[in-house]
Amino acid sequence: MLLQARVAGLATDGAGKVEVDGRAYLIDGVVPGEVVEFEPRKRRRGKRRGILTRVVEPSPDRVEPRCEYFGVCGGCAQQHIAPAAQLAFKEKTLFDHLSRVNVRPQHRINPPQTALWHYRRKARPGIRHVPKKGGILIGFRERNSSYITSLMRCHILDARLSALLPGLHETLDSLACRDQIPQIEVAAADNAVALVLRHLQPLSKTDAALLTRFAVDAGVQFFVQPGGHNTIKPLWPPSPEPLYYRLTDYDLMLRFAPGDFIQVNAQANAATIKLAMELLNPTPADPILDLFCGLGNFTLPIARSGATVLGVEGDPELTRRGTENAALNNLPNAEFKALDLYQENTTAHFPNRPFTKVLLDPPRSGAAETVKHLIPKIAPQVIIYVSCNPATLAQDAQTLTHTHGYNPTHTGIINMFPHTTQIESITRFER
């Protein structure tokens, strides 16, 4: 049985929302405003879904997807939607979340323009050995599935990483341990490309030689990871030069290890830092706190302004890297401290010193404990909140606004993840 309906909007996963006879369905590959024909399917995880069979009335925002894997691969969900319409959807989602908790910033920030293709410099493609599908599969999970989409190219990966996929398929398929490799982490730095292969059994000498040959021929750094994050070690070259990315606006070089977290989109990251600096307006008179600081992505630009800044991060390895980056860039006014920001008692262990301004850049889970307990103790004049999840941003913004008395002055999205449903934003609060 086929049904027909007009697409009312998009869900958070990018699926279109339609309703027929009082029943709601989610349909992939549609655009708001379109009339579509679909085949209803059984409920999955409590929601009815449908399979698109025909677009009856296409939207003017519909475009031809660039990637031949689109619709199967779960890496992208919105290549069929014009970039401007993607941004409009993300912006509406952000403001809807804030509006639901009665947080209404006074000023909307225009999204800065960033690259739409080959922007992703860090990723973790999955790997499976499936003889029935031709051997090794390397790629992202299929949409709404745990299966791997085998990619020979990727239009969102850094072009240097995408170009490695055919040779990587061939090399991994030749390994004796090919059925014991679940994942490869890829990183495109300014100076080199690095790969980290996760393997569940020790590499034989033959397998190690094959991987080394691939690394030499491809001109990449190759690392192996037999266990946890702390087991990553170089295969080739034996002593690789440190990876780094530059923040040219601030004359900074930030070194990172291949397994470290860095923002995946270099151009969008630079735009985010520029916005954060404008909204924060650091001066040499400001003692500033950078929470969830990582290896110093915001900490060091703030320090470059002359302000004294303390970066706090739960991962001691990242704070060590941050300290090294501060020394590398001759910034003695940047200090780093490892502290678990998800514990309620963090406040008791926090340095007893004033901070006039705070920058928050938490993971998707947000910063609830920090906002509830640490912010009222510090009582900064200005807070800049960089978020990758509008739902947790809204929860924290509600606390800042309605419990602690902060005024939301500016908010807007940054197109960190084009063609996906992930939403990056930046919001300013002041007293």
Side-chain angles (χ1 to χ4, degrees):
M1 177 181 65
L2 298 179
L3 301 177
Q4 194 173 110
R6 188 175 295 276
V7 181
L10 297 179
T12 54
D13 68 350
K17 297 187 288 187
V18 304
E19 186 174 311
V20 179
D21 297 331
R23 293 184 174 182
Y25 297 87
L26 295 175
I27 307 170
D28 291 330
V30 300
V31 184
E34 292 184 329
V35 176
V36 298
E37 184 182 81
F38 66 97
E39 180 184 345
R41 293 294 174 92
K42 293 181 180 179
R43 284 178 179 268
R44 188 171 64 219
R45 297 175 184 171
K47 296 180 180 179
R48 294 185 183 90
R49 302 196 78 94
I51 301 298
L52 177 67
T53 56
R54 183 167 64 100
V55 178
V56 180
E57 295 179 15
S59 165
D61 292 324
R62 176 174 285 277
V63 296
E64 189 66 26
R66 177 180 292 198
C67 179
E68 64 265 42
Y69 304 104
F70 180 74
V72 178
C73 177
C76 294
Q78 296 189 338
Q79 280 193 29
H80 65 298
I81 302 177
Q86 292 182 34
L87 287 178
F89 159 68
K90 293 182 179 185
E91 189 171 69
K92 182 179 185 303
T93 302
L94 170 65
F95 279 91
D96 283 351
H97 274 89
L98 293 175
S99 180
R100 288 188 199 112
V101 295
N102 197 28
V103 173
R104 294 179 172 83
Q106 298 166 333
H107 303 285
R108 167 190 170 274
I109 299 170
N110 287 323
Q113 290 191 346
T114 57
L116 298 177
W117 304 104
H118 293 301
Y119 63 83
R120 190 168 189 120
R121 60 181 174 180
K122 198 91 191 301
R124 290 177 180 169
I127 301 175
R128 296 288 185 277
H129 180 240
V130 186
K132 290 182 179 180
K133 292 188 177 181
I136 281 288
L137 311 180
I138 304 172
F140 303 111
R141 285 188 174 88
E142 294 181 0
R143 188 158 173 78
N144 301 315
S145 169
S146 61
Y147 295 120
I148 296 293
T149 307
S150 194
L151 306 177
M152 288 297 176
R153 66 197 59 81
C154 177
H155 293 285
I156 63 168
L157 280 180
D158 182 293
R160 293 170 292 172
L161 298 175
S162 179
L164 295 173
L165 289 171
L168 200 56
H169 273 86
E170 183 178 352
T171 299
L172 297 188
D173 204 36
S174 69
L175 302 181
C177 69
R178 58 186 178 273
D179 60 347
Q180 296 294 312
I181 304 173
Q183 174 185 287
I184 188 164
E185 186 164 2
V186 296
D190 286 2
N191 61 318
V193 167
L195 311 180
V196 182
L197 189 72
R198 177 79 174 94
H199 54 98
L200 303 179
Q201 70 179 40
L203 295 175
S204 67
K205 290 183 179 180
T206 301
D207 283 355
L210 288 168
L211 293 171
T212 300
R213 172 50 55 192
F214 170 83
V216 172
D217 291 345
V220 301
Q221 297 181 5
F222 208 104
F223 296 76
V224 291
Q225 182 184 352
H229 187 269
N230 62 348
T231 67
I232 296 175
K233 60 182 181 180
L235 178 67
W236 183 265
S239 300
E241 63 174 317
L243 303 173
Y244 65 79
Y245 66 90
R246 292 188 181 275
L247 297 174
T248 55
D249 290 342
Y250 308 96
D251 189 26
L252 292 170
M253 174 193 287
L254 278 73
R255 289 179 174 172
F256 66 97
D260 287 348
F261 170 81
I262 61 170
Q263 290 290 359
V264 302
N265 187 327
Q267 193 178 97
N269 182 53
T272 306
I273 294 171
K274 183 178 180 180
L275 269 174
M277 294 292 285
E278 291 172 356
L279 296 171
L280 192 65
N281 189 27
T283 71
D286 286 320
I288 296 177
L289 182 61
D290 179 13
L291 299 175
F292 307 95
C293 68
L295 47 74
N297 188 57
F298 290 102
T299 321
L300 301 185
I302 292 170
R304 184 66 85 200
S305 73
T308 300
V309 56
L310 172 63
V312 179
E313 164 66 44
D315 185 344
E317 188 67 19
L318 288 179
T319 55
R320 182 179 69 81
R321 201 99 62 225
T323 300
E324 293 171 352
N325 281 324
L328 176 68
N329 290 278
N330 192 27
L331 290 171
N333 51 326
E335 178 188 350
F336 290 84
K337 183 178 180 64
L339 201 61
D340 186 351
L341 293 167
Y342 287 101
Q343 298 298 320
E344 184 176 337
N345 64 359
T346 295
T347 305
H349 302 290
F350 211 79
N352 187 21
R353 52 201 250 207
F355 297 98
T356 59
K357 299 174 181 178
V358 168
L359 189 142
L360 285 164
D361 184 16
R364 289 185 58 80
S365 54
E369 295 303 322
T370 296
V371 166
K372 287 177 184 176
H373 304 291
L374 187 57
I375 291 299
K377 175 185 177 180
I378 297 170
Q381 299 165 6
V382 174
I383 298 170
I384 307 301
Y385 193 129
V386 180
S387 166
C388 59
N389 184 349
T392 52
L393 166 66
Q395 294 170 9
D396 294 338
Q398 182 180 32
T399 303
L400 289 171
T401 303
H402 302 305
T403 303
H404 301 324
Y406 283 88
N407 178 36
T409 63
H410 301 72
T411 196
I413 62 169
I414 294 122
N415 203 15
M416 186 72 73
F417 309 98
H419 313 298
T420 79
T421 58
Q422 296 182 68
I423 300 173
E424 189 89 358
S425 66
I426 187 167
T427 305
R428 182 182 186 273
F429 300 86
E430 70 175 16
R431 276 190 156 170

